[in-house]
Amino acid sequence: MRIQFVCLPLLVLSAALLSAALLSKHVSIKSRYDKFKKQHIYKEMTANMCDEVMRERKINPIKTKKCKKINTFIKADEQTVRSICVSEGEPYGNMTKSRQGFDVVVCIRKTKKGIMRIPFACLLLFSATVLSQDARITLRYRKFIEQHVNGRMSENRCDSVIGSRRISKTNSNECKETNTFIQATTNHIKAICEQAGEPYGDMTKSLQPFPIIVCTLKNQQGRLPNCQYRGQARTRRIAIKCEQGFPVHFERDIIHFEN
């Protein structure tokens, strides 16, 4: 009987410690998840909302008032993003990558000396005059994604997607004659610049074919937002321009390889 009375408090103490540890872990994960949502999920995000949203959500590097250099917002609802961890993702090293593509908005800081002197006054501009080379490549990568990547694209969505993304001829509102969307994730396309591609002149071509949607303009001389397109689904190997491991240019709308 004495042993039972001695062990009972120990068992209770052990159970209490275990519960506290599990609770602490749960709180820690929830806290990190809440931070992830705040920094990276916003279904209604647009490119011209960077300044406003970054200030409103107080998104800055940890324990500092410096402006964060780059922040990416996923344009999807919370449940859709969470599903990547359950049924809509696949292993990617010690991470999980989505099976489908997502629309994203990448906010890039632009300052003269790298740090703003006014606390929290982050300038996040999508400009071709970003000062650092890495930022310029990031900007071109974002433009590439905006113009050519959509895992959920279909033949009958050309008008709506091109209109919402405001894809047009360079530096004008004239309708672009042809635009191709790659039906894949950004990670799959980025892999072409690494192990999933091979040299093709000064370009890199994919080792495997990709499903694509080719949008061809129907109303010539049209201007945004009244561009009308005919969509066609095809499967092709693609050729892209890579810089520092990132795709920054789609060589042409249709690349056909014999092999």
Side-chain angles (χ1 to χ4, degrees):
M1 291 297 294
R2 289 179 182 175
I3 295 175
Q4 291 177 351
F5 279 109
V6 172
C7 290
L8 183 59
L10 291 176
L11 290 173
V12 172
L13 178 60
S14 298
L17 291 173
L18 179 60
S19 297
L22 291 175
L23 179 62
S24 176
K25 183 177 181 180
H26 175 75
V27 170
S28 175
I29 291 175
K30 185 178 185 304
S31 175
R32 292 173 65 189
Y33 176 55
D34 288 342
K35 181 179 179 181
F36 174 85
K37 286 193 298 181
K38 173 180 151 183
Q39 289 193 342
H40 301 295
I41 299 179
Y42 192 4
K43 187 176 182 179
E44 307 303 323
M45 188 67 183
T46 62
N48 60 3
M49 291 171 60
C50 284
D51 289 0
E52 172 190 351
V53 176
M54 293 288 284
R55 282 196 296 264
E56 184 180 284
R57 299 192 176 190
K58 297 181 179 179
I59 299 174
N60 295 287
I62 300 173
K63 297 180 180 180
T64 179
K65 293 183 179 181
K66 296 178 183 178
C67 300
K68 192 174 182 182
K69 292 181 179 179
I70 298 175
N71 193 75
T72 300
F73 290 97
I74 307 167
K75 297 181 63 173
D77 57 72
E78 176 187 343
Q79 194 59 41
T80 301
V81 178
R82 282 194 66 182
S83 67
I84 299 172
C85 297
V86 184
S87 58
E88 300 301 319
E90 56 189 37
Y92 186 70
N94 63 344
M95 312 290 281
T96 302
K97 66 180 179 181
S98 62
R99 299 181 189 276
Q100 301 297 323
F102 282 81
D103 291 335
V104 300
V105 172
V106 182
C107 297
I108 306 170
R109 183 192 72 190
K110 179 188 175 184
T111 64
K112 290 183 178 180
K113 295 184 179 180
I115 300 174
M116 290 298 295
R117 296 183 182 278
I118 303 174
F120 299 107
C122 301
L123 295 179
L124 300 151
L125 305 178
F126 292 91
S127 168
T129 59
V130 180
L131 298 181
S132 72
Q133 180 66 23
D134 288 342
R136 282 198 297 270
I137 290 173
T138 300
L139 183 63
R140 294 180 65 193
Y141 175 49
R142 177 202 168 274
K143 182 178 180 181
F144 173 88
I145 293 172
E146 190 78 2
Q147 288 194 340
H148 298 294
V149 181
N150 191 328
R152 294 168 289 179
M153 189 65 185
S154 61
E155 296 172 64
N156 59 2
R157 294 185 64 205
C158 286
D159 292 358
S160 61
V161 174
I162 289 177
S164 64
R165 297 190 181 191
R166 298 196 62 80
I167 298 171
S168 64
K169 287 186 178 180
T170 306
N171 300 323
S172 76
N173 284 327
E174 294 181 31
C175 299
K176 191 176 180 182
E177 293 183 359
T178 307
N179 195 78
T180 299
F181 292 96
I182 309 165
Q183 294 176 288
T185 67
T186 53
N187 284 333
H188 283 143
I189 298 169
K190 187 173 179 292
I192 298 171
C193 296
E194 299 164 354
Q195 74 279 5
E198 60 186 6
Y200 182 70
D202 61 344
M203 300 285 169
T204 302
K205 67 179 178 180
S206 62
L207 297 177
Q208 300 298 325
F210 281 81
I212 59 176
I213 298 294
V214 182
C215 300
T216 305
L217 185 66
K218 294 191 296 184
N219 59 328
Q220 298 296 325
Q221 310 302 322
R223 301 179 72 87
L224 285 176
N226 300 312
C227 304
Q228 298 175 7
Y229 289 88
R230 179 183 298 105
Q232 291 182 310
R234 301 179 182 179
T235 301
R236 295 286 190 274
R237 294 171 69 183
I238 59 176
I240 58 177
K241 177 73 172 179
C242 297
E243 290 189 15
Q244 295 187 15
F246 290 91
V248 295
H249 173 68
F250 195 85
E251 166 60 2
R252 59 182 77 161
D253 293 302
I254 290 293
I255 298 294
H256 176 71
F257 300 112
E258 294 180 357
N259 56 350

